[in-house]
Amino acid sequence: YPKSGGGGGHGNTNFDGTFAGPVARDVELVLTVGNYYCNFTSPVYEEDIGPFTQDTDIGDIVVEINNDETLKVIGTLVNCDLEPVSNGYVSILGHYIFIDDGVIDLSIPYCNENIQPIMVGSDLDALTMSSQLILDYDIDNTIGVLSACEQEINHFTMNCDALNYHETALFELFSFASKDSLSIIYQKECYGYHLGGEFEEVFYIAYNDAQEDYSEAEFTIKKALISVGAQGEQIASDLNVPTNTVNIIEYNATDNFIRGVFQVVMKDQSNVAYDYYGTFKLQVN
């Protein structure tokens, strides 16, 4: 945040502790690091940085988090073929730990036993995940085999063959699904969000009149928009094309998600039309 005046932003780090995002030019800033589940409001690290006039790598930040208690988990994450997951992660207490050999051997610091420790394992190659596993603070959790094959990961894919554009948003996905629209926001560099709203890409679809439920049916897209960067290029849909559709394949009221496909013709600022298509599985609100 700026040393003087208001504003600023915050977010979570990536799997490997890295982070990235836009900041104000030529402004002295204060960088703070907090432990979300312990003392997020009382930073464990603070440093004056900037001002910046160009893209800058500020290097490694070494943070000491003193927690007397750790949540221990031991097990194996497997895919749908019962083989160790080679490209996946487990999420627990706000931590995302990359898994490349199936081995789960974790000691996660904690300081608030009022937060239920829930773990989920995911296979990024298959776009599948495990069911939620509730752990116990008071014991070493030896979980055996955890199958990342129970359901699809929440995801959103967007493709345009003519532009060789193929994007899949997973853990960096922020989405909002209502009965008449999908709002998809994702960043390719930082897991988190900026208060200034400078997301790298935003995709929005309004697809039907309000329904009493999330009907499993095909709807005509009324409006669609891709915005690249906060002030960057915008690509809007051609609403006169009858094949602009969202097809909701599944509505799961128990787990509260929808799954489906879409296709839409988008025109760039030069009025050149391109066919976009993709799939999604999203939590609904």
Side-chain angles (χ1 to χ4, degrees), residues 33 37 97 99 157 194 201 228 231 239 242:
V33 178
Y37 281 97
I97 299 94
I99 302 293
T157 66
H194 302 283
E201 297 200 35
V228 181
Q231 304 296 328
L239 301 182

Side-chain angles (χ1 to χ4, degrees), residues 78-97:
V78 299
N79 60 24
C80 295
D81 295 323
L82 300 181
E83 297 176 345
V85 170
S86 59
N87 180 29
Y89 68 95
V90 295
S91 60
I92 177 174
L93 290 177
H95 298 269
Y96 291 79
I97 299 94

Side-chain angles (χ1 to χ4, degrees), residues 1-283:
Y1 59 87
K3 291 188 68 174
S4 60
H10 66 272
N12 298 328
T13 61
N14 295 312
F15 289 123
D16 55 2
T18 59
F19 62 92
V23 297
R25 179 185 291 269
D26 286 326
V27 174
E28 292 184 336
L29 304 168
V30 178
L31 171 69
T32 64
V33 178
N35 186 342
Y36 184 82
Y37 281 97
C38 291
N39 52 356
F40 187 69
T41 57
S42 301
V44 297
Y45 179 88
E46 185 171 293
E47 177 187 4
D48 291 346
I49 60 173
F52 300 111
T53 59
Q54 61 185 8
D55 293 348
T56 303
D57 184 344
I58 63 174
D60 293 340
I61 299 172
V62 179
V63 177
E64 294 185 6
I65 301 177
N66 297 317
N67 291 98
D68 296 330
E69 303 292 341
T70 57
L71 177 66
K72 296 183 180 180
V73 188
I74 297 174
T76 303
L77 183 65
V78 299
N79 60 24
C80 295
D81 295 323
L82 300 181
E83 297 176 345
V85 170
S86 59
N87 180 29
Y89 68 95
V90 295
S91 60
I92 177 174
L93 290 177
H95 298 269
Y96 291 79
I97 299 94
F98 183 70
I99 302 293
D100 61 4
D101 57 3
V103 175
I104 301 172
D105 189 357
L106 308 176
S107 294
I108 304 296
Y110 71 90
C111 55
N112 185 353
E113 292 192 9
N114 293 323
I115 299 175
Q116 189 175 49
I118 297 175
M119 185 173 74
V120 174
S122 300
D123 181 352
L124 295 178
D125 289 332
L127 296 182
T128 54
M129 61 189 289
S130 71
S131 300
Q132 292 184 344
L133 180 64
I134 299 176
L135 304 175
D136 192 328
Y137 285 115
D138 298 324
I139 64 172
D140 291 350
N141 293 270
T142 302
I143 63 173
V145 174
L146 180 64
S147 174
C149 193
E150 299 299 323
Q151 57 181 302
E152 287 180 282
I153 296 176
N154 290 339
H155 68 276
F156 173 77
T157 66
M158 184 162 56
N159 304 277
C160 179
D161 296 337
L163 298 176
N164 196 28
Y165 179 87
H166 304 283
E167 290 291 340
T168 298
L170 298 169
F171 46 85
E172 70 279 16
L173 174 67
F174 294 85
S175 63
F176 175 84
S178 68
K179 293 182 177 66
D180 58 359
S181 67
L182 306 174
S183 294
I184 313 298
I185 301 173
Y186 64 96
Q187 297 167 264
K188 289 177 286 188
E189 292 186 355
C190 180
Y191 178 84
Y193 58 91
H194 302 283
L195 295 180
E198 296 189 15
F199 298 98
E200 189 159 315
E201 297 200 35
V202 176
F203 186 71
Y204 171 78
I205 298 177
Y207 59 86
N208 68 298
D209 295 327
Q211 304 292 314
E212 293 184 1
D213 59 19
Y214 298 86
S215 302
E216 297 178 22
E218 183 174 273
F219 302 102
T220 300
I221 292 176
K222 298 166 61 179
K223 180 181 180 181
L225 175 70
I226 302 173
S227 178
V228 181
Q231 304 296 328
E233 178 184 8
Q234 291 190 341
I235 304 174
S237 61
D238 183 349
L239 301 182
N240 295 318
V241 178
T243 56
N244 287 352
T245 56
V246 168
N247 192 350
I248 298 179
I249 298 170
E250 178 183 2
Y251 165 47
N252 188 310
T254 301
D255 294 325
N256 211 35
F257 70 81
I258 57 174
R259 184 169 58 87
V261 298
F262 75 91
Q263 56 185 11
V264 59
V265 176
M266 309 289 283
K267 287 189 175 182
D268 64 15
Q269 293 175 323
S270 299
N271 206 37
V272 178
Y274 297 98
D275 293 319
Y276 283 83
Y277 65 94
T279 63
F280 57 86
K281 185 237 174 185
L282 301 171
Q283 299 304 122

